[in-house]
């Protein structure tokens, strides 16, 4: 990543940040310290949080989001693109604390009492998302005011992170944006195995036979996909107040994660305990939609990767139809209201 000195924000970027700052989730927060009362007697769910850290890159770069490439030595999802974050500890209390603690552990992001932490402002929390493996994940959106000071201090924890990269936020609404930065993209082949040039999708069937569209975006690292992609699409929709240029959902897909959270809470109650979901390749682990791809390190060729993925998707009822749905209007949440700006975690 090229680090630029601090620059005054453009008007459109300031408006985008204000939209995020003014956003209030229409659904309740699910965290170790805040579970809706109606679930008080239910088996304890598993919580996690991720950090959507934005910063401004002038001269056409716009708003960028910081991502990581997971270490290939990790047991789950080796080598895949991710947002900094992880599972919540009981002592975390809030998703904000979880997201920043994990970001500190993974990439050495400054947190208090480091004075550099004052240059990072929490903007909002997005609705809690349900991963394919029943993790309740809360995205924490924050803005780095001084990337020239913060980014040079970041260092990947080699046990967990193979690399740190960024991506234009607007590219999750319109993948064609990446044509302005095409030289930074990985070559087609080992790291981008899909026929589509910039954006690939596959429709799946998962909880309660509901439908889910997995999105994959070509990047300067491995594909940004699954739950990570979903979170960044939503962040971009709020920031830029418009819809995607491509069909966002599969036909019949439930919009929002509220109903699916209800499903897994009831599932846990009936089962008498929290259930982990199967990975697409038949193993069991904790992760999100789209992260359940065959382990890249175990595959010998691009063709073999595609064959294994296609076979796995076929077992889940995957379909390749992508152009069977109109975009529909963008409708911001009715519960939008001005909220205070939380400080970085203590």
């Amino acid at each position: 990543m090229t680090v630029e000195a601090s620059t005054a924000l453009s008007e459109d970027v300031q408006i985008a940040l204000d939209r995020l700052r003014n956003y209030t989730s229409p659904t309740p927060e699910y965290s170790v310290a805040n579970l809706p009362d109606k679930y008080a007697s239910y088996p304890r769910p598993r919580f996690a949080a991720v950090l959507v850290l934005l910063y401004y890159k002038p001269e056409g770069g716009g708003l960028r989001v910081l991502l990581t490439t997971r270490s290939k030595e990790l047991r789950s999802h080796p080598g895949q693109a991710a947002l900094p974050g992880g599972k919540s500890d009981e002592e975390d209390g809030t998703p904000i604390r979880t997201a920043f603690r994990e970001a500190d552990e993974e990439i050495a992001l400054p947190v208090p009492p480091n004075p550099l932490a004052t240059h990072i402002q929490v903007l909002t929390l997005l609705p809690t998302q349900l991963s394919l493996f029943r993790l309740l994940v809360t995205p924490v959106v924050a803005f780095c005011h001084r990337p020239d000071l913060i980014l040079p201090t970041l260092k990947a924890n080699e046990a967990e992170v193979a690399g740190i990269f960024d991506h234009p936020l607007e590219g999750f609404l319109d993948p064609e944006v990446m044509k302005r930065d095409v030289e930074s993209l990985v070559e087609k082949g080992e790291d981008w195995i899909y026929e589509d040039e910039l954006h690939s999708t596959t429709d799946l069937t998962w909880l309660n036979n509901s439908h889910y569209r997995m999105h994959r975006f070509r990047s300067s690292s491995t594909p940004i996909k699954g739950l990570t992609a979903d979170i960044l699409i939503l962040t971009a929709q709020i920031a830029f107040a418009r819809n995607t240029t491509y069909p966002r959902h599969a036909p019949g897909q439930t919009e929002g994660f509220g109903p699916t959270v209800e499903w897994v809470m009831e599932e846990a109650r009936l089962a008498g305990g929290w259930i982990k979901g199967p990975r697409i390749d038949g193993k069991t682990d904790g992760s999100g939609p789209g992260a359940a791809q065959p382990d890249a390190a175990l595959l010998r060729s691009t063709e073999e990767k595609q064959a294994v993925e296609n076979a796995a998707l076929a077992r889940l009822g995957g379909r390749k139809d992508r152009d069977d749905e109109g975009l529909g209007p963008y409708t911001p949440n009715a519960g939008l209201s001005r909220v205070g700006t939380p400080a970085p975690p203590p």
Side-chain angles (χ1 to χ4, degrees), residues 48-62:
V50 294
L51 181 63
V52 181
L53 184 61
L54 306 174
Y55 73 93
Y56 176 53
K57 187 175 182 179
E59 299 179 1

Side-chain angles (χ1 to χ4, degrees), residues 93-116:
T94 70
I96 293 175
R97 187 183 293 272
T98 297
F100 276 86
R101 174 181 56 76
E102 287 284 338
D104 178 31
E105 293 175 4
E106 292 178 4
I107 58 174
L109 184 75
V111 297
N114 188 327
L116 288 177

